[in-house]
Amino acid sequence: MEERTLTKTTAFAVITLLCCLTLSINLQAQAGGDVAQKIKQLQQDSTNAQLKNDVSWMREHLADGYVQGNSWGAWSTKDETLKDMQNKTIKWKSGEISDVHVAAFGPNVAVSRYTFAYDAELNGTHRARTVLCSDTWINDSGRWKSAASHCSLVKGM
């Protein structure tokens, strides 16, 4: 009789463990979807802030140590990016992101990739082009910030 009770107890423990693992996997998958949606919205908000030279939004959402590689071959730090926005060295005529995809790496890191088509004057030089971009986002104590951004020119577009 004792062996039978032990077997029932073991079976119950295994079933309980499997249910907990299934719930944990499901919750992680849902959290990844939530992160992806949040980053997609932040990516659009970031583009809007960029086009409006909204320094306060960018200051709040660029991580310390942020670096940007642009499609004309230059690197910019957070301070340089904010200074350019304040000085309005980039005058935007238009800009639109499309084909936004997000890969979440747990609850605190995500990478977005997208296409950005723009028409602007950069330091007195007119540029109208389409670029492929990726941004790395980190959750910094509950606030999502961009840690790095890179765009490359799309040939023929």
Side-chain angles (χ1 to χ4, degrees):
M1 189 89 169
E2 196 172 305
E3 281 183 38
R4 187 176 231 180
T5 305
L6 184 59
T7 304
K8 286 181 181 179
T9 303
T10 303
F12 179 74
V14 168
I15 290 170
T16 302
L17 179 62
L18 288 173
C19 288
C20 289
L21 286 173
T22 302
L23 178 62
S24 175
I25 290 168
N26 186 33
L27 288 174
Q28 285 182 355
Q30 288 177 8
D34 291 344
V35 168
Q37 284 307 113
K38 178 69 174 171
I39 297 305
K40 279 185 179 184
Q41 183 59 55
L42 282 168
Q43 198 64 66
Q44 183 61 57
D45 294 346
S46 177
T47 300
N48 294 341
Q50 181 180 351
L51 296 173
K52 294 176 187 172
N53 285 312
D54 185 347
V55 177
S56 63
W57 193 95
M58 295 302 260
R59 182 178 288 116
E60 187 177 329
H61 291 89
L62 296 182
D64 292 336
Y66 169 83
V67 66
Q68 173 187 76
N70 58 46
S71 63
W72 54 92
W75 293 102
S76 296
T77 64
K78 177 180 180 176
D79 290 339
E80 291 166 336
T81 299
L82 295 174
K83 183 180 176 185
D84 286 345
M85 291 183 86
Q86 287 171 329
N87 295 339
K88 295 183 175 42
T89 59
I90 301 175
K91 295 180 176 84
W92 299 97
K93 293 180 183 176
S94 66
E96 184 178 327
I97 63 170
S98 61
D99 200 26
V100 180
H101 298 274
V102 177
F105 299 91
N108 296 314
V109 177
V111 175
S112 61
R113 62 180 169 89
Y114 54 96
T115 302
F116 181 46
Y118 69 89
D119 188 347
E121 187 178 305
L122 297 105
N123 298 317
T125 303
H126 177 254
R127 296 188 194 269
R129 54 176 50 177
T130 300
V131 293
L132 296 178
C133 302
S134 64
D135 290 0
T136 302
W137 293 86
I138 58 170
N139 186 341
D140 183 11
S141 302
R143 177 160 302 223
W144 283 96
K145 297 183 176 186
S146 180
S149 180
H150 183 265
C151 294
S152 298
L153 179 63
V154 177
K155 295 285 187 190
M157 291 187 87

